[in-house]
């Protein structure tokens, strides 16, 4: 791939160019904050023109969506750590959701759309089929005997959609006074627990993740 800029080292492929653009966007968000992160700022970070940037991403919103999704992929490992050792479906859902509610607002790459005043875009991204499927795979699949509770893939994705809508509500319209810690977890368990268990008995963890049949 020919071209000037790129710090004197042009990317060797389209994929590498996109990766470097996303890395530069993330760095700009960390250094400048979301509101000051523009297409021009990212282009300056890379030493390329805005025209080159637009070959890969049409707007800063597209950049933010891509960076947010990449950060969400990384966040799954932290969810795993937070939910390690849990023994039932309700606890898994409650702790996963509570952890996200407490941690994400302080993560600039996950929360950048909210901080930048782009809540509508953020909400649309969080409820996209891609994010719902990712959350199902990373948080729920293989952790509990969901089939014993009457869940198939479609039902699990409905459960994830409910979790995401609750998360969205807590982030955009936080309760006053705010809930946190055990109080938040008790609230989530009180209102989510009966619905989760309505399909059957509590599942148990079964070790390594497996594909949902």
């Amino acid at each position: 791939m020919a071209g000037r800029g790129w710090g004197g080292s042009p990317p060797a492929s389209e994929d590498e160019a996109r990766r470097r653009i996303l890395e530069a966007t993330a760095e700009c968000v960390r250094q400048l904050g979301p509101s000051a992160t523009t297409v021009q700022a990212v282009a300056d970070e890379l030493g390329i023109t805005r025209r080159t940037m637009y070959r890969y991403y049409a707007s800063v919103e597209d950049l933010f969506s891509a960076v947010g999704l990449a950060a969400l992929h990384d966040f799954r490992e932290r969810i795993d750590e937070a939910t390690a050792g849990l023994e039932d479906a309700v606890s898994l859902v409650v702790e996963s959701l509570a952890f996200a509610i407490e941690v994400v607002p302080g993560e600039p790459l996950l929360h950048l759309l909210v901080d930048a005043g782009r809540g509508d875009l953020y909400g649309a991204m969080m409820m996209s089929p891609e994010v719902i499927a990712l959350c199902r795979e990373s948080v729920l699949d293989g952790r509990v005997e969901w089939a014993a509770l009457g869940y198939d893939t479609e039902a699990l994705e409905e459960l994830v959609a409910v979790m995401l809508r609750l998360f969205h509500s807590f982030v955009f319209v936080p309760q006053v006074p705010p809930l946190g810690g055990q109080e938040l977890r008790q609230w989530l368990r009180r209102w989510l627990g009966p619905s989760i268990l309505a399909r059957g008995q509590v599942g148990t963890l079964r070790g390594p993740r497996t594909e949902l049949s």
Side-chain angles (χ1 to χ4, degrees):
M1 181 183 297
R4 299 176 180 177
W6 299 99
S9 178
S13 67
E14 298 285 317
D15 286 344
E16 183 185 348
R18 289 181 179 276
R19 177 182 59 78
R20 288 170 65 177
I21 289 172
L22 294 184
E23 289 174 351
T25 302
E27 185 60 26
C28 285
V29 169
R30 295 188 187 99
Q31 296 296 327
L32 306 175
S35 60
T37 297
T38 62
V39 170
Q40 186 63 61
V42 177
D44 291 344
E45 177 75 14
L46 290 166
I48 60 177
T49 65
R50 291 178 62 182
R51 182 176 180 179
T52 299
M53 286 283 297
Y54 287 131
R55 288 181 55 193
Y56 302 99
Y57 296 97
S59 66
V60 71
E61 286 80 10
D62 286 347
L63 278 172
F64 281 3
S65 292
V67 171
L69 283 172
L72 188 59
H73 278 276
D74 294 337
F75 190 64
R76 63 187 296 177
E77 295 183 4
R78 297 173 64 184
I79 290 284
D80 275 350
E81 294 175 1
T83 58
L86 298 182
E87 298 180 352
D88 63 83
V90 174
S91 295
L92 175 62
V93 170
V94 166
E95 186 57 36
S96 298
L97 184 52
F99 182 78
I101 290 169
E102 291 176 336
V103 172
V104 169
E107 296 286 335
L109 298 185
L110 287 169
H111 199 248
L112 55 85
L113 297 177
V114 178
D115 290 343
R118 295 179 172 90
D120 54 344
L121 176 64
Y122 181 82
M125 183 188 76
M126 289 302 295
M127 296 308 300
S128 68
E130 181 180 4
V131 169
I132 289 175
L134 173 62
C135 290
R136 172 182 58 78
E137 293 166 2
S138 61
V139 176
L140 302 182
D141 278 5
R143 300 295 302 276
V144 166
E145 292 285 358
W146 290 105
L149 288 168
Y151 285 84
D152 56 14
T153 298
E154 182 179 1
L156 280 178
E157 293 194 349
E158 289 180 0
L159 175 57
V160 169
V162 171
M163 294 170 66
L164 289 173
R165 289 187 182 280
L166 274 172
F167 168 79
H168 190 269
S169 176
F170 270 92
V171 169
F172 281 95
V173 192
Q175 187 163 324
V176 180
L179 292 177
Q182 287 305 309
E183 188 178 13
L184 171 61
R185 286 156 176 80
Q186 290 169 2
W187 189 96
L188 293 171
R189 182 177 292 273
R190 180 162 61 250
W191 293 106
L192 286 177
S195 297
I196 294 169
L197 299 180
R199 291 174 176 266
Q201 296 180 344
V202 177
T204 57
L205 290 176
R206 57 184 181 189
R209 295 177 184 272
T210 58
E211 293 296 325
L212 189 69
S213 58

